[in-house]
Amino acid sequence: MEYAMNYFELFSLSPSFQLDLQGLAQSYRELQQQYHPDNFAADNQDNQAAVMQKAAQINDAYQTLKDPLARAQYLLRLQGIDLSGEQQTINDIDFLMSQMALREQLAEIENAADPEQAIDDFSTLLKQQRSDLSSSFEKAYNEQNFDLAADHVRKLKFYARLQQQLQQLEEKILDY
């Protein structure tokens, strides 16, 4: 799949896993204002359509770059490695065993003596493990070891799913 624009260039950023998220948000707001459809209401339909498309691209770019997992996948995509929709399995038995243990721990939260504390503890654990894995991704990416970086992204996807499941459980338990 060919990408018409480089998201990092759009926001005048260097391609990097670590980003100044406040700077990204500021650039996003400026581009949103610049390409707001109301500014082009008097233009012809073709120009209005082009502006709408540019505004949509700006939104897509921002959503991608502000999310660490999506940003990591995008960085790899820029290197010709597209992990979206991929079904490749992870061959790291230790990692898979730790994931099974985490899933068991997640399943036990509902029956914990203090489910809210169990949620907080599990969330802290996930955050730390994701942070460690993100650092490993960044190191592999910066060393241009893209296969290892891709493996780290695959593992980060497991943590993203666990985080989603934890949020669903939290909503269920706390009855939001």
Side-chain angles (χ1 to χ4, degrees):
M1 181 177 212
E2 196 61 35
Y3 290 88
M5 95 172 78
N6 179 309
Y7 292 170
F8 291 98
E9 290 172 6
L10 176 66
F11 293 108
S12 302
L13 299 169
S14 298
S16 173
F17 185 65
Q18 292 296 322
L19 289 183
D20 170 11
L21 295 178
Q22 287 181 325
L24 174 65
Q26 178 64 33
S27 294
Y28 172 66
R29 285 189 295 275
E30 290 168 5
L31 285 169
Q32 264 190 324
Q33 286 178 330
Q34 182 180 346
Y35 288 97
H36 195 280
D38 289 349
N39 297 337
F40 300 88
D43 287 10
N44 65 44
Q45 282 187 325
D46 288 344
N47 199 31
Q48 287 179 355
V51 168
M52 290 289 285
Q53 182 177 4
K54 183 72 170 184
Q57 290 173 332
I58 290 165
N59 286 331
D60 288 344
Y62 179 67
Q63 294 304 318
T64 298
L65 295 184
K66 79 174 190 171
D67 176 71
L69 178 57
R71 184 181 332 124
Q73 290 182 87
Y74 182 72
L75 282 165
L76 289 173
R77 204 175 310 140
L78 291 176
Q79 300 301 322
I81 301 168
D82 190 355
L83 300 180
S84 61
E86 165 187 89
Q87 297 299 318
Q88 182 168 338
T89 58
I90 293 179
N91 295 322
D92 182 341
I93 299 301
D94 291 336
F95 175 78
L96 294 173
M97 295 299 286
S98 74
Q99 287 298 301
M100 286 175 52
L102 287 171
R103 292 201 181 284
E104 288 173 11
Q105 191 175 345
L106 178 65
E108 293 169 2
I109 288 176
E110 221 172 335
N111 299 320
D114 184 351
E116 287 183 49
Q117 185 61 51
I119 287 170
D120 289 345
D121 293 346
F122 192 75
S123 181
T124 300
L125 175 66
L126 286 183
K127 190 178 293 185
Q128 181 59 53
Q129 291 184 5
R130 268 196 338 260
S131 176
D132 293 347
L133 199 49
S134 292
S135 295
S136 296
F137 163 81
E138 183 176 22
K139 182 177 186 297
Y141 181 84
N142 289 342
E143 292 173 354
Q144 298 188 355
N145 187 343
F146 301 125
D147 289 337
L148 181 58
D151 192 46
H152 292 316
V153 168
R154 289 180 191 104
K155 291 176 180 178
L156 283 166
K157 287 181 178 185
F158 275 85
Y159 284 103
R161 280 192 290 277
L162 274 172
Q163 185 65 43
Q164 257 183 339
Q165 291 168 341
L166 178 63
Q167 286 172 331
Q168 290 168 346
L169 180 62
E170 183 175 22
E171 288 171 6
K172 178 182 171 187
I173 288 174
L174 302 179
D175 201 29
Y176 281 164

